[in-house]
Amino acid sequence: QVRLVESGGGLVQTGGSLRLSCVASGPSFNRYAMAWFRQVPGKEREFVAAIHRGGRDTYYADSVRGRVAITRSDPKKEVYLEMNNLKPEDTAVYYCAADTSIILSSTPSTNSGSYEYWGQGTQITVSA
């Protein structure tokens, strides 16, 4: 069983920055692919970024590429999402997710169904 807890959301002005954190419980964090998704009411959960086991590869949605960075600390069992130049369209609930069954030769999925564990979400609101 893996528990994920996000933090770091809040209200920010357009052009501002935020850093989200997600701490995981459970063994073998270094073997998980981790991702961030976001969701607004009435829409499907949307992929934002993912990072492979060991942090060797990162992946980003086109909508955020160049403005966000996903990193991880395996000793701390944490994953981070640094977000810069935030826009009103970035307003959403942001979720941390873990894929505990990924193998090293695979690519982290952009599909939410591939992730077995989810946090409770943290709200980001970007004011115009």
Side-chain angles (χ1 to χ4, degrees), residues 16 27 31 42 94 113:
R31 300 175 68 86
Y94 284 72

Side-chain angles (χ1 to χ4, degrees), residues 1-24:
Q1 189 73 15
V2 176
R3 184 168 179 258
L4 303 173
V5 179
E6 304 97 334
S7 62
L11 175 65
V12 64
Q13 292 185 334
T14 296
S17 299
L18 281 176
R19 185 185 193 229
L20 304 183
S21 299
C22 172
V23 60

Side-chain angles (χ1 to χ4, degrees), residues 1-2 4 24-34 52-54 72-78 98-102 117:
Q1 189 73 15
V2 176
L4 303 173
S25 65
S28 305
F29 177 79
N30 62 308
R31 300 175 68 86
Y32 307 161
M34 300 297 297
H52 209 327
R53 292 166 53 173
R72 64 189 295 161
S73 170
D74 287 346
K76 294 183 178 180
K77 295 186 179 181
E78 293 185 354
D99 178 356
T100 64
S101 59
I102 193 168
Y117 297 100

Side-chain angles (χ1 to χ4, degrees), residues 27-104:
S28 305
F29 177 79
N30 62 308
R31 300 175 68 86
Y32 307 161
M34 300 297 297
W36 289 94
F37 286 76
R38 65 187 182 187
Q39 190 170 24
V40 298
K43 292 191 175 182
E44 292 187 355
R45 200 163 287 189
E46 175 190 24
F47 171 78
V48 177
I51 188 166
H52 209 327
R53 292 166 53 173
R56 65 172 196 163
D57 296 304
T58 56
Y59 306 86
Y60 298 97
D62 289 342
S63 58
V64 301
R65 186 174 288 112
R67 299 189 296 118
V68 309
I70 185 170
T71 57
R72 64 189 295 161
S73 170
D74 287 346
K76 294 183 178 180
K77 295 186 179 181
E78 293 185 354
V79 62
Y80 312 100
L81 188 70
E82 185 79 34
M83 305 184 72
N84 301 302
N85 190 23
L86 283 161
K87 305 175 181 180
E89 51 263 43
D90 294 319
T91 296
V93 177
Y94 284 72
Y95 296 91
C96 173
D99 178 356
T100 64
S101 59
I102 193 168
I103 61 175
L104 201 57

